[in-house]
Amino acid sequence: MRKNVLNAGHVELVEYLGGDKAVVRNARRCWRSEDRSSEESDKNLIHHLINKGHKTPFEALVFTFDVKCPIFVARQWMRHRIGSYSEESLRYCVTEGEYYKPDDLPEEINRHWDRVHLYTFDMYDYFLENGLSKEQARSILPLGTYTKFYWTVNASSLMNFLKLRMDKAAQKEIRAYAFAILDMVKEVAPITFGAFEESLE
Amino acid sequence: MRKNVLNAGHVELVEYLGGDKAVVRNARRCWRSEDRSSEESDKNLIHHLINKGHKTPFEALVFTFDVKCPIFVARQWMRHRIGSYSEESLRYCVTEGEYYKPDDLPEEINRHWDRVHLYTFDMYDYFLENGLSKEQARSILPLGTYTKFYWTVNASSLMNFLKLRMDKAAQKEIRAYAFAILDMVKEVAPITFGAFEESLE
Amino acid sequence: MRKNVLNAGHVELVEYLGGDKAVVRNARRCWRSEDRSSEESDKNLIHHLINKGHKTPFEALVFTFDVKCPIFVARQWMRHRIGSYSEESLRYCVTEGEYYKPDDLPEEINRHWDRVHLYTFDMYDYFLENGLSKEQARSILPLGTYTKFYWTVNASSLMNFLKLRMDKAAQKEIRAYAFAILDMVKEVAPITFGAFEESLE
Amino acid sequence: MRKNVLNAGHVELVEYLGGDKAVVRNARRCWRSEDRSSEESDKNLIHHLINKGHKTPFEALVFTFDVKCPIFVARQWMRHRIGSYSEESLRYCVTEGEYYKPDDLPEEINRHWDRVHLYTFDMYDYFLENGLSKEQARSILPLGTYTKFYWTVNASSLMNFLKLRMDKAAQKEIRAYAFAILDMVKEVAPITFGAFEESLE
């Protein structure tokens, strides 16, 4: 599953561990209630866990995403410390020069937006050609430059991310990623993320 | 995969996410070196990561184990904070009354060992029958009583666990679990845990 | 500050870092609003952070406690992974033989309670005298045996602990520790933990 | 204690919890060896902990730093997940427009370096004046723009940071911060960070 986000980004669900069944398995371990499992009672159990804030069983459900987003979005993202990030490094890689641009900029601003980026990426190339290291030359690159990383995160930490980043108070750009992710994980673990979504209402 | 450990315990690999390929994928993201992948260079890359202590790419490789072990072993285990535990609770479940006994106890000690456990479990039953709550009655249960939990852990945290718990300075009982686990994960990610094992020598 | 808890336990606030001022300092950094500080607005700010679930600034406020509690309480405690534990080890130390006993046990149960503990601690001594290692002999010790540990924890993680462990659904024994801790930290950071306490109502 | 770092940055030790004594206190708890404390044996104990990798007792020693550094340095910094960050937000604050410039740039590059930054900050002001939100306008700001944050971190996590970021393989810019920090914490906990420094050799 892969979704395009913003003008040049994407998020892709690469692989995952567990599912609704893993959540139920782990929760029932606590009460040794494996024999009480049924479609109906499992669903009720997951809703109960969500509503009571019993988060541990959701840690058995783990996702790896491939993310491409502007660096300023990545900075918000990586403030979430319970999860793993493997990111492309501008110490070793030359930027591909893709940059974020908001939709519907007024014409004048749109023109300046492109111009300042083109000028900056030109300067970056010039600095590299004239012997500056990649790790120093990147100092001039815009925060809207796209970066790529893999993110491995369990469902408990992911729900915390989604709650904060789908919120109206969050920035529009990261909200777009959060909604795209929710759509994907609802297909993998429909009861868990269905209950989660209801809990936000 | 499942292995019996100690007199009544076991460890079972329930499911896992990723493998050697996920480690390589995440590491190559950093250098954007996906096109340099080959069997030989991937193997060298993993050895390089292990030897240099670059741990992050191993976090894309995640395991869930089903563990049955004495409570005193579980206490050592759960000091490892980077990982998830869903454990049977003696607040809600009556103990099944299985207890650890070291091999080769001298006859006299062996007899006392069984006697003190039988007496204790008898008292536990007596307390429950006489109205004490499970959560209080367990106060008398021995630290060698077996418990069960699911453990979800990434390969970086697991290697730290194995390094400390396979060490000669670790207690014999938890070492038995650590060696059993290493055998299992070597089948799932042979390059990673082969390199890890070499690094211990 | 030190409080006795249960029949033979205690919790003591050994030292701490920061206070309400540190929370305000860290929160105002986010908005660069240091110049808007006043007694009234700082108080409102902390209430706002608590009510909105903005937890990060509370991580600048850190406590170290000295805890003595039954092992079954310590097991619940150490499930809280964001914090540091340095615990007395029964691999290296001989137990001091103190054990938990609930208040107001019926006379018959009370007598059996003492008897099973005395018998067990006698056996433990006997095993040690007859050459069993401390780390193996402890296998028979009751879960109600007292243990001691230092706990270093930030205020955000502590509030999560208190919320879960002061809850009516938590076990009576750990609730007693949680309430004792709340009393202490309210003296250190009265606005923060006052707002926290209100938020529970 | 405060040190200037790079062309416009700094790091300041704001406050701390514990010291060498707290490390010794926590380590001795494990062995119940408080009565064996002496200046000589405490020093040996700390060296032993460092050399054996027994990290937990160092978590009782916690520092809060005030850091001002380029955003690309902050990005490396915040990959260290065991610690707390409260950072100035460019969603709410207008940048102060300070930017990193390496020492000893060739004259031609130096001139272009200033020019691209001035042009960019001009455009940023222009965008704000023409109704773009701060959170979107920052998209064009350079990665070398200075940011400010408070960092609360325990000594175990700090030693991991220092080991990786003082290393010759680390980027020059973050190394300058790491060395400045080591100088400061050596004054607070001379035995701990003296032993740490020796262990790197």
Side-chain angles (χ1 to χ4, degrees):
Chain A
M1 271 182 284
R2 179 189 168 114
K3 284 173 179 277
N4 292 327
V5 188
L6 303 184
N7 65 313
H10 68 246
V11 58
E12 182 182 346
L13 176 54
V14 179
E15 48 183 351
Y16 62 91
L17 173 74
D20 287 331
K21 274 189 199 313
V23 174
V24 169
R25 178 196 68 210
N26 275 37
R28 291 204 178 283
R29 169 57 56 92
C30 176
W31 293 282
R32 202 192 289 153
S33 67
E34 292 80 355
D35 55 341
R36 267 177 271 155
S37 193
S38 74
E39 197 177 324
E40 187 62 18
S41 77
D42 288 355
K43 196 171 168 177
N44 290 340
L45 175 59
I46 287 179
H47 278 261
H48 173 78
L49 296 172
I50 294 275
N51 294 333
K52 290 287 177 185
H54 296 321
K55 300 174 184 170
T56 314
F58 298 104
E59 299 181 17
L61 173 50
V62 182
F63 304 93
T64 295
F65 297 98
D66 181 359
V67 180
K68 182 181 171 192
C69 71
I71 288 175
F72 70 85
V73 171
R75 294 197 75 218
Q76 297 178 334
W77 208 306
M78 294 184 188
R79 299 301 301 275
H80 294 262
R81 290 164 290 182
I82 302 178
S84 306
Y85 301 91
S86 287
E87 187 182 5
E88 202 174 87
S89 169
L90 292 170
R91 294 188 70 195
Y92 310 118
C93 309
V94 172
T95 182
E96 297 179 298
E98 288 183 288
Y99 57 92
Y100 174 59
K101 187 160 72 171
D103 288 342
D104 305 319
L105 287 180
E107 199 190 320
E108 187 77 3
I109 288 187
N110 184 68
R111 204 168 51 239
H112 282 301
W113 191 276
D114 284 334
R115 196 181 292 163
V116 69
H117 285 89
L118 294 181
Y119 175 44
T120 301
F121 288 115
D122 267 3
M123 274 296 110
Y124 172 79
D125 290 341
Y126 169 82
F127 290 158
L128 292 185
E129 282 156 21
N130 285 273
L132 220 60
S133 62
K134 288 191 278 290
E135 68 185 27
Q136 286 197 328
R138 64 156 158 188
S139 187
I140 69 164
L141 292 179
L143 286 170
T145 307
Y146 275 90
T147 185
K148 289 177 187 164
F149 59 89
Y150 289 110
W151 185 36
T152 298
V153 64
N154 70 49
S156 171
S157 178
L158 179 59
M159 285 190 267
N160 182 59
F161 174 89
L162 293 176
K163 187 169 189 294
L164 293 172
R165 302 304 177 178
M166 288 165 55
D167 193 272
K168 280 181 187 164
Q171 185 166 349
K172 192 179 92 174
E173 283 76 9
I174 198 165
R175 290 183 82 203
Y177 285 91
F179 282 104
I181 287 171
L182 179 59
D183 279 351
M184 290 179 190
V185 294
K186 272 200 295 191
E187 293 198 31
V188 168
I191 304 176
T192 294
F193 287 96
F196 166 71
E197 204 173 9
E198 283 177 33
S199 76
L200 297 180
E201 281 158 16
Chain B
M1 270 182 284
R2 178 189 168 114
K3 285 172 179 277
N4 293 327
V5 188
L6 304 185
N7 66 312
H10 68 246
V11 58
E12 182 182 346
L13 176 54
V14 179
E15 48 183 352
Y16 62 91
L17 173 74
D20 287 331
K21 274 190 199 314
V23 174
V24 169
R25 177 196 69 210
N26 275 37
R28 291 204 179 282
R29 168 57 55 92
C30 176
W31 292 283
R32 201 192 289 153
S33 67
E34 292 80 355
D35 55 341
R36 266 177 272 154
S37 193
S38 74
E39 197 177 323
E40 187 61 19
S41 76
D42 288 355
K43 196 171 168 178
N44 289 340
L45 174 59
I46 287 180
H47 278 261
H48 174 78
L49 296 171
I50 294 275
N51 295 332
K52 289 288 177 185
H54 296 322
K55 300 174 183 170
T56 314
F58 298 104
E59 299 181 18
L61 173 50
V62 182
F63 304 93
T64 294
F65 298 98
D66 181 359
V67 179
K68 182 181 172 192
C69 70
I71 288 175
F72 70 86
V73 171
R75 294 197 75 218
Q76 296 177 335
W77 208 306
M78 294 183 188
R79 299 302 301 275
H80 294 263
R81 290 164 290 183
I82 302 178
S84 305
Y85 301 92
S86 287
E87 187 182 5
E88 202 175 87
S89 169
L90 292 170
R91 294 188 70 195
Y92 310 118
C93 308
V94 172
T95 182
E96 297 179 298
E98 288 184 288
Y99 57 92
Y100 174 58
K101 187 160 70 171
D103 289 341
D104 305 318
L105 288 180
E107 199 190 319
E108 188 77 4
I109 289 187
N110 185 68
R111 204 169 49 239
H112 282 301
W113 191 276
D114 284 334
R115 197 180 291 160
V116 69
H117 285 89
L118 294 182
Y119 176 44
T120 301
F121 288 115
D122 266 3
M123 274 297 110
Y124 172 79
D125 289 341
Y126 169 81
F127 290 159
L128 292 185
E129 282 156 20
N130 285 274
L132 220 61
S133 62
K134 288 191 279 290
E135 69 186 27
Q136 286 197 328
R138 65 156 158 188
S139 187
I140 69 163
L141 292 179
L143 286 170
T145 308
Y146 275 90
T147 185
K148 289 177 187 163
F149 59 89
Y150 289 110
W151 184 37
T152 298
V153 64
N154 69 49
S156 171
S157 178
L158 179 59
M159 285 190 267
N160 182 58
F161 174 89
L162 293 176
K163 187 168 188 295
L164 293 172
R165 301 305 177 176
M166 288 165 54
D167 193 272
K168 280 182 187 163
Q171 186 166 348
K172 192 179 92 174
E173 283 76 9
I174 199 165
R175 290 183 82 204
Y177 285 90
F179 282 103
I181 286 171
L182 179 59
D183 279 351
M184 290 180 189
V185 294
K186 272 200 296 191
E187 292 197 30
V188 168
I191 304 176
T192 294
F193 286 96
F196 166 71
E197 203 173 8
E198 282 176 33
S199 76
L200 298 179
E201 283 158 16
Chain C
M1 272 183 283
R2 179 188 167 115
K3 284 172 179 278
N4 293 327
V5 188
L6 304 184
N7 66 312
H10 68 246
V11 58
E12 181 183 345
L13 176 53
V14 179
E15 48 183 351
Y16 62 91
L17 173 75
D20 287 330
K21 274 189 199 314
V23 174
V24 169
R25 177 196 68 209
N26 275 37
R28 291 204 179 282
R29 169 57 56 92
C30 176
W31 292 283
R32 201 192 290 153
S33 67
E34 292 80 355
D35 55 341
R36 266 177 271 154
S37 193
S38 73
E39 198 177 323
E40 187 61 19
S41 77
D42 288 354
K43 196 171 168 177
N44 289 341
L45 174 60
I46 287 179
H47 279 260
H48 174 78
L49 296 172
I50 294 275
N51 294 333
K52 290 288 177 184
H54 296 322
K55 300 174 184 171
T56 314
F58 298 104
E59 299 182 18
L61 173 50
V62 182
F63 304 93
T64 294
F65 297 98
D66 181 359
V67 179
K68 182 182 171 193
C69 71
I71 287 174
F72 70 86
V73 171
R75 294 197 75 218
Q76 296 177 335
W77 208 307
M78 293 184 188
R79 299 302 301 275
H80 294 263
R81 290 164 290 183
I82 302 178
S84 306
Y85 301 92
S86 287
E87 187 182 5
E88 201 174 87
S89 169
L90 292 170
R91 294 187 70 196
Y92 310 118
C93 309
V94 173
T95 181
E96 297 179 299
E98 288 184 289
Y99 57 92
Y100 174 59
K101 187 160 72 170
D103 289 341
D104 306 318
L105 288 180
E107 198 190 320
E108 188 76 3
I109 289 188
N110 184 68
R111 204 169 50 239
H112 282 301
W113 191 276
D114 285 334
R115 197 180 292 161
V116 68
H117 285 89
L118 294 182
Y119 176 44
T120 301
F121 288 115
D122 267 3
M123 274 297 110
Y124 172 78
D125 289 341
Y126 169 81
F127 290 159
L128 292 185
E129 282 156 20
N130 285 273
L132 219 61
S133 62
K134 289 191 278 290
E135 69 186 27
Q136 286 197 328
R138 65 156 158 188
S139 187
I140 69 164
L141 292 179
L143 286 170
T145 308
Y146 275 90
T147 185
K148 289 177 187 164
F149 59 88
Y150 290 109
W151 185 36
T152 298
V153 64
N154 69 49
S156 171
S157 178
L158 178 59
M159 285 190 267
N160 182 58
F161 174 89
L162 293 176
K163 187 168 189 294
L164 293 172
R165 301 305 177 177
M166 288 165 54
D167 193 272
K168 280 181 187 164
Q171 186 166 348
K172 192 180 92 174
E173 284 76 9
I174 199 166
R175 291 183 82 203
Y177 285 90
F179 282 104
I181 286 171
L182 179 59
D183 279 351
M184 291 180 190
V185 295
K186 272 200 295 191
E187 293 197 30
V188 168
I191 304 176
T192 294
F193 287 96
F196 166 71
E197 204 173 8
E198 282 177 33
S199 76
L200 297 180
E201 283 158 16
Chain D
M1 270 183 284
R2 178 188 168 115
K3 284 173 179 278
N4 293 327
V5 188
L6 304 184
N7 66 312
H10 68 246
V11 57
E12 182 183 345
L13 176 53
V14 179
E15 48 183 351
Y16 63 91
L17 173 75
D20 288 330
K21 273 190 199 316
V23 174
V24 169
R25 178 196 68 209
N26 275 37
R28 291 203 178 283
R29 168 58 56 92
C30 176
W31 292 283
R32 202 192 289 153
S33 67
E34 292 81 355
D35 56 341
R36 267 177 271 155
S37 193
S38 74
E39 197 177 323
E40 187 61 19
S41 76
D42 288 355
K43 196 171 168 178
N44 289 341
L45 175 59
I46 287 180
H47 278 261
H48 174 78
L49 296 171
I50 293 274
N51 294 333
K52 290 288 177 184
H54 296 321
K55 300 175 185 171
T56 314
F58 298 104
E59 299 181 18
L61 173 50
V62 183
F63 304 92
T64 295
F65 297 98
D66 181 359
V67 180
K68 182 181 172 192
C69 71
I71 288 174
F72 70 86
V73 171
R75 295 197 74 219
Q76 297 177 334
W77 208 306
M78 293 184 188
R79 298 302 301 275
H80 294 262
R81 290 163 291 182
I82 302 178
S84 305
Y85 301 92
S86 287
E87 187 182 5
E88 201 174 87
S89 169
L90 293 170
R91 295 188 69 196
Y92 310 119
C93 309
V94 173
T95 182
E96 297 179 298
E98 288 184 288
Y99 57 92
Y100 174 59
K101 187 160 71 170
D103 288 342
D104 305 318
L105 287 180
E107 198 190 320
E108 187 77 3
I109 288 187
N110 184 67
R111 204 169 50 239
H112 282 301
W113 191 275
D114 284 334
R115 197 181 291 161
V116 69
H117 285 89
L118 294 181
Y119 176 44
T120 301
F121 288 114
D122 267 3
M123 274 297 110
Y124 173 78
D125 289 341
Y126 169 81
F127 290 159
L128 292 185
E129 282 156 21
N130 285 273
L132 220 60
S133 63
K134 288 191 279 290
E135 68 185 28
Q136 286 196 328
R138 65 157 158 186
S139 187
I140 69 163
L141 292 179
L143 286 170
T145 308
Y146 275 90
T147 185
K148 288 177 187 163
F149 59 88
Y150 289 110
W151 184 36
T152 298
V153 64
N154 70 49
S156 171
S157 178
L158 178 59
M159 285 190 268
N160 182 59
F161 174 89
L162 293 176
K163 187 169 189 294
L164 293 172
R165 302 305 177 177
M166 288 165 54
D167 193 272
K168 280 181 187 163
Q171 186 166 349
K172 191 179 92 173
E173 283 75 9
I174 199 165
R175 290 183 82 204
Y177 286 90
F179 283 103
I181 286 171
L182 179 60
D183 279 351
M184 291 179 189
V185 294
K186 272 201 295 190
E187 292 197 30
V188 168
I191 304 176
T192 294
F193 286 96
F196 166 71
E197 204 173 8
E198 282 176 33
S199 76
L200 297 180
E201 283 158 16

